[in-house]
Amino acid sequence: AQLVHIARRMNEVSSSLSLSNDLGYVVDQGADILHSFLTAFLTNKERDKLVYDANLGGMITLDGLKNTEADFGNGRYNDHHFHYGYILYACAIMGDINATFVSEYGHFVDPLLFDVAHSSYSHSNSEPLDGAFFPLARYKSWFDGHSFASGLFPFGNGKSQESSSESVNCYYGAYLWSIIRSKSDGFGNKEENKKLVDFARLLLATEIRGAKTYWHMHPPDTSDAKLENDPAIYSSRLAQNYMVGNLGMMDVTSLHGLGMNPYTCT
């Protein structure tokens, strides 16, 4: 989705360049591949299908339902906003390229939006809800401003959020999909659609602010004699807390890369 988006934007500004034909080919081929993968996933053509959990009100994988450790703990609501954020982003790009994608598959995408970014109101024409329950912004901690990722899994030192960048990407994807969805025919009225977009914007804005406030580590103040010889991004005092458990499980490149992904065209 990201590569298609980049190629499409480059193609729009390079119409007079020799690259134009090549970029147009990349956009067309990439869009076809993206459409194929998304539609297979959304319509449960894959072996590991999506199912609705009537007990807790969410979309989980069939493997996750059977095994709590499968799909990164998907059946126990671990990392949904990380994973579904990529799907929402990809669907928004696809919908922007091809409006028929929204009319044909929008009602398959909406439950994923509701799983991670459901608001306190429902659309009058919201087909995917059909009486189904989804909790309000499942992963968001409104007190802290950011989200937590670990779902129903317990942590001794509190909830976890190992990738604040992917959490921001979730609500960015929700925001983009809300914009695309609100333009489709028969999906709510103008006021409802505005609320849908504004709520996604609120989730995105508070997630960015929360990540900057609580998750982003800044270089230590070298004027502090105790930290002068400590080049680590995390101070030794913070690193002793097990909530920074990634330090012991990943190499340095993976650790920093996890905090940088995904790279989006904003």
Side-chain angles (χ1 to χ4, degrees):
Q2 182 74 313
L3 293 176
V4 171
H5 182 51
I6 293 171
R8 186 176 176 223
R9 290 291 177 252
M10 288 182 65
N11 191 42
E12 289 175 353
V13 300
S14 64
S15 57
S16 61
L17 303 178
S18 58
L19 280 179
S20 182
N21 289 337
D22 293 335
L23 287 172
Y25 174 80
V26 170
V27 173
D28 292 341
Q29 292 298 305
D32 287 344
I33 294 171
L34 180 62
H35 188 277
S36 175
F37 278 111
L38 284 176
T39 53
F41 175 78
L42 293 170
T43 58
N44 276 343
K45 298 291 175 37
E46 306 289 350
R47 181 195 61 80
D48 190 11
K49 304 179 187 303
L50 287 170
V51 296
Y52 174 72
D53 176 10
N55 291 323
L56 296 174
M59 302 301 299
I60 59 176
T61 62
L62 192 58
D63 283 353
L65 179 66
K66 297 175 181 177
N67 180 358
T68 58
E69 300 296 327
D71 298 331
F72 298 91
N74 180 281
R76 300 287 286 174
Y77 292 89
N78 186 64
D79 290 358
H80 277 208
H81 65 316
F82 295 162
H83 301 159
Y84 294 171
Y86 287 103
I87 302 298
L88 292 173
Y89 177 86
C91 289
I93 297 300
M94 191 71 251
D96 191 41
I97 295 173
N98 180 2
T100 60
F101 172 82
V102 183
S103 59
E104 292 178 7
Y105 300 99
H107 59 286
F108 292 109
V109 183
D110 294 335
L112 300 180
L113 172 71
F114 297 146
D115 183 272
V116 297
H118 188 45
S119 61
S120 57
Y121 68 96
S122 62
H123 271 62
S124 55
N125 297 326
S126 189
E127 179 184 341
L129 280 178
D130 194 24
F133 165 75
F134 290 89
L136 171 69
R138 185 191 305 276
Y139 295 92
K140 174 71 76 171
S141 167
W142 293 105
F143 179 81
D144 295 301
H146 60 76
S147 298
F148 287 111
S150 51
L152 300 177
F153 289 100
F155 275 74
N157 287 1
K159 291 292 189 178
S160 75
Q161 167 97 312
E162 68 179 14
S163 181
S164 58
S165 56
E166 287 182 296
S167 129
V168 169
N169 182 66
C170 168
Y171 300 124
Y172 179 52
Y175 172 58
L176 294 181
W177 175 250
S178 297
I179 293 175
I180 296 297
R181 191 65 166 113
S182 65
K183 295 178 181 178
S184 61
D185 294 334
F187 186 73
N189 56 50
K190 184 176 181 180
E191 181 180 354
E192 289 173 335
N193 290 337
K194 184 178 185 304
K195 288 180 179 179
L196 182 73
V197 174
D198 286 347
F199 187 70
R201 287 179 61 202
L202 176 65
L203 291 170
L204 176 59
T206 52
E207 196 70 22
I208 292 172
R209 185 183 180 94
K212 288 181 176 179
T213 302
Y214 297 107
W215 293 101
H216 288 183
M217 300 295 104
H218 300 283
D221 182 0
T222 54
S223 63
D224 186 340
K226 295 180 180 178
L227 299 176
E228 187 173 3
N229 297 316
D230 184 2
I233 285 185
Y234 299 99
S235 72
S236 56
R237 285 169 290 187
L238 180 60
Q240 290 173 4
N241 188 304
Y242 289 133
M243 281 192 71
V244 195
N246 289 1
L247 290 172
M249 296 185 292
M250 294 183 176
D251 59 84
V252 174
T253 302
S254 299
L255 175 62
H256 292 293
L258 182 63
M260 297 174 188
N261 283 328
Y263 299 91
T264 53
C265 296
T266 55

